[in-house]
Amino acid sequence: MTATLARGHLLRGVGRAPTLEEHVRVFGQAARLDVADVERAGLRGRGGAAFPTAAKLAVVAATSQPVVVANGAEGEPLSKKDRSLLRVAPHLVLDGALLAADVVGAVEVVIAVARPAPELEAAIGERTLRRTTVRVARVPDRFVAGEETALLRALGGGPAKPTTKPPYPFERGLSGRPTLVQNVETLAHLALVARGAFGSTALVTLSGAVARPGVHEIPLGITLADAVGELTADPAGYLVGGYFGRFVAPQEARTLQLTPDVLGAGAIAVLPASTCPVAEVARVVTYLAGESAGQCGPCTHGLPALAGALDPSRRGDHRGEARTFAALVAGRGACRHPDGAARFAESALDVFADDFARHAKHRGCGRRDEGVLP
């Protein structure tokens, strides 16, 4: 984030949020937008699910008195992309949110954040808004709070816990009204689409054994190896997509192309060969079990059981038990929390099969738990 702002890019920032005048000087005024423009651009959500943005806009536009909610909660521990975007390009997010509101016929925009966002508040203060109101709302800083129904429940004054679907947010969301929920990066890309400058990029947060940790903007379709760049140590494996993503073996990094589906929450962590992947994986699954809403059996009982089966301190080989628990919880919760945890665990069992086998036989692998995955 050291270059100057440029058309068609999100994070070509100067290390600070531009004023509204500077923003308009670089990007120009945002033109009007319609669903067909977004469909032609092929924009897909950047919050993790990669759902086609045009389809979401179209279904909410067909409702009455909708609300637009910009999701900047970012509960993923490995991701800092959304908070970076709100810090250095808040006007681009605001442009996208207002454009989305115009497309669906909303007069209220709520931007949900889990942490203070002074640059965003300042950017809103610079705007003269005649038709649409925009406000920033705080939600709990929890992993599950970023799930769209949990987010809406928290914004409505309830606990930040998911609700069963249906009804979907576009049917009944904030204050019982149809609601468009979009990740803040998705909205920033929407602002580029309106200017004819959408460049099919994505924001990623790099961490672990990488030479350039932090938030970067990459072209979609490049390989994992090219996105990560220079490493500081031989990799044991790559985690792509954050805690709801999957592990990738080192030999796959040169061929795996990064798309919105693959990137998920936009976080990539490289585990060095010096770390114990079994300990890292067990700690994350234990974290995910503790971060669940605790409303459904798969999370309340299944995820702690999965974490227990992965515990490296246990004697014997529990890999079969772990796979059984992962299969039992997937697809059975009110939200996708157990699905993500199961995907994470199953991919770890595949990529680090030798490490799990060594632990089962010797109760250790001789490597350290270095806390690469916080």
CSV table of all heavy atoms in Angstrom, one decimal, residues 152-180:
chain,number,residue,atom,x,y,z
A,152,LEU,N,-27.2,-9.1,11.0
A,152,LEU,CA,-28.5,-8.4,11.1
A,152,LEU,C,-29.2,-8.5,12.4
A,152,LEU,O,-29.8,-7.6,12.9
A,152,LEU,CB,-29.4,-9.0,10.0
A,152,LEU,CG,-28.9,-8.8,8.5
A,152,LEU,CD1,-29.9,-9.4,7.6
A,152,LEU,CD2,-28.8,-7.3,8.2
A,153,ARG,N,-29.0,-9.7,13.1
A,153,ARG,CA,-29.6,-9.9,14.4
A,153,ARG,C,-28.9,-8.9,15.4
A,153,ARG,O,-29.6,-8.3,16.2
A,153,ARG,CB,-29.4,-11.3,14.8
A,153,ARG,CG,-30.3,-11.8,16.0
A,153,ARG,CD,-30.1,-13.3,16.2
A,153,ARG,NE,-30.9,-13.8,17.3
A,153,ARG,CZ,-30.8,-15.0,17.7
A,153,ARG,NH1,-30.1,-15.9,17.1
A,153,ARG,NH2,-31.5,-15.4,18.8
A,154,ALA,N,-27.6,-8.8,15.3
A,154,ALA,CA,-26.8,-7.9,16.2
A,154,ALA,C,-27.2,-6.4,15.9
A,154,ALA,O,-27.4,-5.6,16.9
A,154,ALA,CB,-25.3,-8.1,16.0
A,155,LEU,N,-27.3,-6.1,14.6
A,155,LEU,CA,-27.7,-4.7,14.3
A,155,LEU,C,-29.1,-4.3,14.8
A,155,LEU,O,-29.4,-3.2,15.1
A,155,LEU,CB,-27.7,-4.5,12.8
A,155,LEU,CG,-26.3,-4.5,12.1
A,155,LEU,CD1,-26.4,-4.4,10.6
A,155,LEU,CD2,-25.4,-3.3,12.7
A,156,GLY,N,-30.0,-5.4,14.9
A,156,GLY,CA,-31.3,-5.2,15.5
A,156,GLY,C,-31.4,-5.2,17.0
A,156,GLY,O,-32.5,-5.1,17.5
A,157,GLY,N,-30.2,-5.3,17.6
A,157,GLY,CA,-30.2,-5.3,19.1
A,157,GLY,C,-30.2,-6.6,19.8
A,157,GLY,O,-30.2,-6.7,21.0
A,158,GLY,N,-30.2,-7.7,19.0
A,158,GLY,CA,-30.1,-9.0,19.5
A,158,GLY,C,-28.7,-9.6,19.6
A,158,GLY,O,-27.7,-8.9,19.3
A,159,PRO,N,-28.6,-10.8,20.0
A,159,PRO,CA,-27.3,-11.5,20.0
A,159,PRO,C,-26.7,-11.7,18.6
A,159,PRO,O,-27.5,-11.9,17.7
A,159,PRO,CB,-27.5,-12.8,20.8
A,159,PRO,CG,-29.0,-13.1,20.5
A,159,PRO,CD,-29.7,-11.8,20.4
A,160,ALA,N,-25.4,-11.7,18.5
A,160,ALA,CA,-24.8,-11.9,17.2
A,160,ALA,C,-24.7,-13.4,16.9
A,160,ALA,O,-23.6,-14.0,16.9
A,160,ALA,CB,-23.4,-11.3,17.2
A,161,LYS,N,-25.9,-14.0,16.7
A,161,LYS,CA,-26.0,-15.4,16.4
A,161,LYS,C,-26.8,-15.6,15.2
A,161,LYS,O,-27.8,-14.9,15.0
A,161,LYS,CB,-26.6,-16.1,17.6
A,161,LYS,CG,-25.8,-16.1,18.9
A,161,LYS,CD,-26.4,-16.9,20.0
A,161,LYS,CE,-25.5,-16.9,21.2
A,161,LYS,NZ,-26.1,-17.8,22.3
A,162,PRO,N,-26.4,-16.6,14.3
A,162,PRO,CA,-27.2,-16.8,13.1
A,162,PRO,C,-28.6,-17.3,13.4
A,162,PRO,O,-28.9,-17.9,14.4
A,162,PRO,CB,-26.4,-17.9,12.4
A,162,PRO,CG,-25.0,-17.8,13.0
A,162,PRO,CD,-25.2,-17.4,14.4
A,163,THR,N,-29.5,-17.0,12.4
A,163,THR,CA,-30.8,-17.5,12.4
A,163,THR,C,-31.0,-18.5,11.3
A,163,THR,O,-30.3,-18.5,10.3
A,163,THR,CB,-31.9,-16.4,12.3
A,163,THR,OG1,-31.6,-15.7,11.1
A,163,THR,CG2,-31.7,-15.4,13.5
A,164,THR,N,-32.0,-19.4,11.4
A,164,THR,CA,-32.3,-20.4,10.4
A,164,THR,C,-32.9,-19.7,9.2
A,164,THR,O,-33.7,-18.8,9.3
A,164,THR,CB,-33.3,-21.4,11.0
A,164,THR,OG1,-32.7,-22.0,12.2
A,164,THR,CG2,-33.5,-22.5,10.0
A,165,LYS,N,-32.5,-20.2,8.0
A,165,LYS,CA,-33.0,-19.7,6.7
A,165,LYS,C,-33.9,-20.8,6.1
A,165,LYS,O,-33.5,-22.0,6.2
A,165,LYS,CB,-31.9,-19.4,5.8
A,165,LYS,CG,-30.9,-18.3,6.3
A,165,LYS,CD,-29.8,-18.2,5.3
A,165,LYS,CE,-28.7,-17.2,5.8
A,165,LYS,NZ,-27.5,-17.2,4.9
A,166,PRO,N,-35.0,-20.4,5.5
A,166,PRO,CA,-35.6,-19.1,5.4
A,166,PRO,C,-36.2,-18.7,6.7
A,166,PRO,O,-36.4,-19.5,7.6
A,166,PRO,CB,-36.6,-19.3,4.2
A,166,PRO,CG,-37.0,-20.8,4.3
A,166,PRO,CD,-35.8,-21.5,4.8
A,167,PRO,N,-36.6,-17.3,6.8
A,167,PRO,CA,-36.5,-16.3,5.7
A,167,PRO,C,-35.0,-15.9,5.5
A,167,PRO,O,-34.2,-15.8,6.4
A,167,PRO,CB,-37.3,-15.2,6.2
A,167,PRO,CG,-37.2,-15.3,7.7
A,167,PRO,CD,-37.2,-16.8,8.0
A,168,TYR,N,-34.7,-15.5,4.3
A,168,TYR,CA,-33.4,-15.0,3.9
A,168,TYR,C,-33.4,-13.5,4.1
A,168,TYR,O,-34.5,-12.9,4.1
A,168,TYR,CB,-33.1,-15.3,2.4
A,168,TYR,CG,-32.9,-16.8,2.2
A,168,TYR,CD1,-34.0,-17.6,1.9
A,168,TYR,CD2,-31.6,-17.4,2.4
A,168,TYR,CE1,-33.8,-19.0,1.7
A,168,TYR,CE2,-31.4,-18.8,2.1
A,168,TYR,CZ,-32.5,-19.6,1.8
A,168,TYR,OH,-32.3,-20.9,1.6
A,169,PRO,N,-32.2,-12.9,4.3
A,169,PRO,CA,-32.2,-11.4,4.5
A,169,PRO,C,-32.9,-10.6,3.4
A,169,PRO,O,-33.5,-9.6,3.7
A,169,PRO,CB,-30.7,-11.1,4.4
A,169,PRO,CG,-30.1,-12.4,5.0
A,169,PRO,CD,-30.9,-13.5,4.4
A,170,PHE,N,-32.9,-11.1,2.1
A,170,PHE,CA,-33.6,-10.4,1.1
A,170,PHE,C,-35.1,-10.4,1.3
A,170,PHE,O,-35.9,-9.7,0.7
A,170,PHE,CB,-33.2,-10.8,-0.3
A,170,PHE,CG,-33.7,-12.2,-0.7
A,170,PHE,CD1,-34.9,-12.4,-1.2
A,170,PHE,CD2,-32.8,-13.3,-0.5
A,170,PHE,CE1,-35.4,-13.7,-1.6
A,170,PHE,CE2,-33.3,-14.6,-0.9
A,170,PHE,CZ,-34.6,-14.8,-1.4
A,171,GLU,N,-35.6,-11.4,2.1
A,171,GLU,CA,-37.0,-11.5,2.4
A,171,GLU,C,-37.4,-10.7,3.6
A,171,GLU,O,-38.3,-10.0,3.6
A,171,GLU,CB,-37.4,-13.0,2.5
A,171,GLU,CG,-37.2,-13.8,1.3
A,171,GLU,CD,-37.4,-15.3,1.6
A,171,GLU,OE1,-36.8,-15.8,2.5
A,171,GLU,OE2,-38.1,-16.0,0.8
A,172,ARG,N,-36.7,-11.0,4.7
A,172,ARG,CA,-36.9,-10.3,6.0
A,172,ARG,C,-35.6,-10.2,6.7
A,172,ARG,O,-35.0,-11.2,7.2
A,172,ARG,CB,-37.9,-11.0,6.8
A,172,ARG,CG,-38.3,-10.2,8.0
A,172,ARG,CD,-39.6,-10.7,8.7
A,172,ARG,NE,-39.3,-12.0,9.5
A,172,ARG,CZ,-39.9,-13.1,9.2
A,172,ARG,NH1,-40.7,-13.2,8.1
A,172,ARG,NH2,-39.6,-14.2,9.9
A,173,GLY,N,-35.0,-9.0,6.7
A,173,GLY,CA,-33.7,-8.7,7.3
A,173,GLY,C,-33.8,-7.7,8.5
A,173,GLY,O,-34.5,-7.9,9.4
A,174,LEU,N,-33.1,-6.6,8.3
A,174,LEU,CA,-33.0,-5.6,9.4
A,174,LEU,C,-34.3,-4.9,9.5
A,174,LEU,O,-35.0,-4.5,8.6
A,174,LEU,CB,-31.9,-4.6,9.0
A,174,LEU,CG,-31.6,-3.5,10.0
A,174,LEU,CD1,-31.0,-4.1,11.3
A,174,LEU,CD2,-30.6,-2.5,9.5
A,175,SER,N,-34.8,-4.9,10.8
A,175,SER,CA,-36.1,-4.3,11.1
A,175,SER,C,-37.3,-5.0,10.3
A,175,SER,O,-38.3,-4.3,10.1
A,175,SER,CB,-36.1,-2.8,10.9
A,175,SER,OG,-35.1,-2.2,11.6
A,176,GLY,N,-37.1,-6.2,10.0
A,176,GLY,CA,-38.1,-6.9,9.2
A,176,GLY,C,-38.2,-6.6,7.8
A,176,GLY,O,-39.1,-7.0,7.1
A,177,ARG,N,-37.3,-5.7,7.3
A,177,ARG,CA,-37.4,-5.3,5.9
A,177,ARG,C,-36.4,-6.1,5.0
A,177,ARG,O,-35.4,-6.6,5.5
A,177,ARG,CB,-37.0,-3.8,5.8
A,177,ARG,CG,-38.1,-2.9,6.5
A,177,ARG,CD,-37.5,-1.6,6.9
A,177,ARG,NE,-37.0,-0.8,5.8
A,177,ARG,CZ,-36.2,0.3,6.0
A,177,ARG,NH1,-35.9,0.7,7.2
A,177,ARG,NH2,-35.8,1.0,4.9
A,178,PRO,N,-36.7,-6.1,3.7
A,178,PRO,CA,-35.8,-6.8,2.8
A,178,PRO,C,-34.4,-6.1,2.9
A,178,PRO,O,-34.4,-4.9,2.9
A,178,PRO,CB,-36.4,-6.6,1.4
A,178,PRO,CG,-37.9,-6.4,1.7
A,178,PRO,CD,-37.9,-5.6,3.0
A,179,THR,N,-33.4,-6.9,2.9
A,179,THR,CA,-32.0,-6.3,3.2
A,179,THR,C,-31.0,-6.9,2.2
A,179,THR,O,-30.9,-8.1,2.0
A,179,THR,CB,-31.6,-6.6,4.6
A,179,THR,OG1,-32.6,-6.1,5.5
A,179,THR,CG2,-30.3,-5.9,4.9
A,180,LEU,N,-30.2,-6.0,1.6
A,180,LEU,CA,-29.1,-6.4,0.8
A,180,LEU,C,-27.9,-6.3,1.7
A,180,LEU,O,-27.5,-5.3,2.2
A,180,LEU,CB,-28.9,-5.4,-0.4
A,180,LEU,CG,-27.6,-5.7,-1.2
A,180,LEU,CD1,-27.8,-6.9,-2.1
A,180,LEU,CD2,-27.3,-4.4,-2.1
